[in-house]
């Protein structure tokens, strides 16, 4: 922790001490899935709030601050135009991918952000290698790419629903790890999140989708079939994370039953990575003292 500056306290009359600055690196390290280790997802409480002891209100307050940091980061990344960031969101249905994109990444300027949802592959997608459609959507220099589902579906749904034989999906772990390493080497910061909800929370969210006419469009009967294979999906997630969480492209398992904690956790980790990247505005020394002519 950095020493606190007494001048940074907003009101000298306030009896509360200024809030401790969160150590984003330590927080991310705590949440990161270790490379080559099978994560014990069942032991991660989806309703937990590790690294945070405040309530919903405090979480929302910290999120507002983090969103300002994220916006500043993006502006500098865009101005610098030398590097990029790729954020991968994976979750079971109703796990909160859409909400996270709205509530956390809504902080970014849409001009520099590209969100891609990956659904059932098209005929053209299937006629290529599985990374073909993915690679086309990676962010160019200066941009942030957000994947709502991703190439990981090719080792999740494809594996569990038996859409391809094991001889096809098993080699993909290594293919993914190598492909992501290439992205990182070329200047893309890669962050991968599994939003981890409980089966009971999914049931509540599905029920809400049915009960609220304005949410009914989100419900898909197919999701019920997927739900029946919860354990198989957890196994598939665990192996995917074990085999593809790397120092360069780490996975984070985020307890996501509480939306306010999920948003805070993702925002903290992305803001921490943003601090590390530390993009800067180009200095343009040739412009110093230049006066715009009439
Ligand atoms: P949604 O996220 O609700 O729009 O649903 C997208 C659907 O596409 C999900 O049911 C995914 O499992 C499915 N999907 C995404 N990628 C693949 C893939 N590579 N192979 C098969 N199904 C996929
Ligand atoms: Mg769906």
């Amino acid at each position: 922790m950095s020493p606190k500056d007494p001048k940074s306290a907003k009101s000298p009359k306030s009896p509360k001490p200024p809030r401790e600055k969160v150590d984003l690196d330590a927080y991310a390290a705590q949440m990161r899935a270790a490379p080559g280790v099978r994560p014990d997802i069942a032991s991660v409480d989806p309703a937990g709030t590790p690294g945070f002891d405040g309530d919903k209100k405090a979480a929302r307050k910290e999120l507002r601050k983090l969103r300002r940091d994220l916006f500043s980061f993006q502006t500098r990344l865009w101005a610098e135009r030398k590097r990029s960031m790729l954020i991968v969101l994976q979750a079971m249905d109703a796990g909160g991918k859409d909400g996270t994109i709205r509530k956390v990444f809504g902080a970014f300027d849409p001009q520099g952000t590209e969100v891609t949802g990956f659904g059932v592959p098209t005929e053209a997608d299937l006629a290529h290698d599985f990374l073909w459609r993915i690679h086309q959507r990676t962010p160019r220099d200066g941009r942030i790419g957000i994947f709502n589902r991703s190439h990981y579906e090719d080792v999740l749904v494809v594996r569990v629903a038996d859409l391809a034989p094991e001889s096809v999906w098993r080699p993909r772990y290594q293919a993914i790890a190598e492909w992501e390493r290439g992205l990182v080497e070329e200047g893309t910061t890669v962050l991968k999140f599994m939003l981890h909800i409980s089966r009971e929370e999914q049931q509540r969210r599905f029920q809400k989708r049915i009960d609220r006419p304005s949410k009914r469009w989100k419900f898909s009967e197919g999701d019920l079939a997927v739900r029946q294979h919860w354990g198989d999906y957890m196994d598939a997630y665990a192996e995917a994370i074990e085999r593809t969480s790397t120092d360069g492209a780490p996975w984070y398992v985020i307890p996501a039953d509480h939306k306010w904690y999920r948003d805070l956790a993702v925002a903290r980790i992305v803001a921490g990575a943003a601090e590390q990247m530390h993009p800067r505005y180009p200095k343009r020394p040739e412009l110093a003292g230049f006066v715009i002519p009439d």
Side-chain angles (χ1 to χ4, degrees):
M1 274 289 106
S2 54
K4 276 176 276 175
D5 174 3
K7 276 176 286 181
S8 72
K10 263 200 187 129
S11 157
K13 280 174 272 171
S14 162
K16 273 193 253 163
R19 217 147 42 90
E20 187 107 338
K21 194 178 177 320
V22 179
D23 183 338
L24 297 176
D25 290 339
Y27 179 74
Q30 175 197 343
M31 303 296 286
R32 194 173 296 137
V37 177
R38 178 94 34 127
D40 184 5
I41 296 177
S43 77
V44 177
D45 178 6
T49 61
F52 184 71
D53 46 26
D55 58 4
K56 176 174 176 176
K57 191 161 167 254
R60 287 300 186 208
K61 187 172 176 207
E62 187 183 327
L63 178 65
R64 282 195 292 278
K65 188 207 161 279
L66 288 166
R67 283 179 53 115
R68 287 193 290 276
D69 295 342
L70 290 176
F71 177 75
S72 156
F73 157 69
Q74 186 196 22
T75 310
R76 287 176 283 115
L77 186 75
W78 174 255
E80 185 192 74
R81 227 158 288 198
K82 286 185 180 148
R83 293 171 291 170
S84 59
M85 178 181 268
L86 175 62
I87 298 163
V88 172
L89 295 178
Q90 283 290 156
M92 296 297 281
D93 296 304
K97 302 187 300 300
D98 297 340
T100 304
I101 292 170
R102 265 195 323 275
K103 296 214 278 276
V104 180
F105 305 128
F108 296 142
D109 184 334
Q111 285 214 88
T113 314
E114 292 158 336
V115 182
T116 308
F118 290 98
V120 177
T122 65
E123 197 201 333
D125 295 335
L126 290 171
H128 292 86
D129 69 277
F130 76 103
L131 290 170
W132 177 75
R133 65 171 181 162
I134 311 291
H135 209 155
Q136 296 177 61
R137 304 299 302 164
T138 53
R140 60 165 69 189
D141 289 345
R143 301 219 187 165
I144 297 170
I146 298 163
F147 285 178
N148 183 339
R149 302 188 192 270
S150 66
H151 43 306
Y152 285 95
E153 293 291 329
D154 293 286
V155 289
L156 293 167
V157 65
V158 169
R159 166 178 163 156
V160 177
D162 212 9
L163 302 179
E166 181 164 359
S167 60
V168 168
W169 57 255
R170 181 151 295 283
R172 287 178 175 168
Y173 297 118
Q174 200 185 339
I176 289 172
E178 282 169 10
W179 178 76
E180 289 178 352
R181 183 161 54 82
L183 290 185
V184 172
E185 277 168 7
E186 295 283 328
T188 303
T189 293
V190 180
L191 301 168
K192 302 176 291 195
F193 296 97
M194 177 202 181
L195 309 178
H196 175 44
I197 56 165
S198 63
R199 201 159 177 268
E200 296 70 35
E201 179 64 16
Q202 187 194 55
Q203 184 180 17
R204 280 191 287 275
R205 292 185 188 183
F206 277 177
Q207 195 62 52
K208 239 185 206 167
R209 287 182 179 184
I210 306 252
D211 295 347
R212 286 198 194 159
S214 67
K215 289 212 164 183
R216 238 173 239 174
W217 64 274
K218 272 201 163 195
F219 184 76
S220 143
E221 280 82 349
D223 295 351
L224 291 181
V226 172
R227 178 175 163 73
Q228 293 313 310
H229 298 281
W230 193 275
D232 293 338
Y233 273 97
M234 291 305 112
D235 291 345
Y237 267 103
E239 184 159 8
I241 292 169
E242 171 191 355
R243 302 207 182 278
T244 65
S245 195
T246 59
D247 292 334
W251 270 105
Y252 296 90
V253 179
I254 306 295
D257 275 8
H258 293 300
K259 295 173 180 175
W260 51 266
Y261 178 78
R262 169 200 81 201
D263 294 339
L264 178 71
V266 172
R268 277 183 174 183
I269 291 163
V270 176
E275 259 178 23
Q276 298 242 331
M277 284 177 83
H278 196 61
R280 289 160 212 253
Y281 292 115
K283 284 215 170 70
R284 309 284 309 270
E286 76 281 9
L287 287 179
F290 182 81
V291 178
I292 303 290
D294 284 343

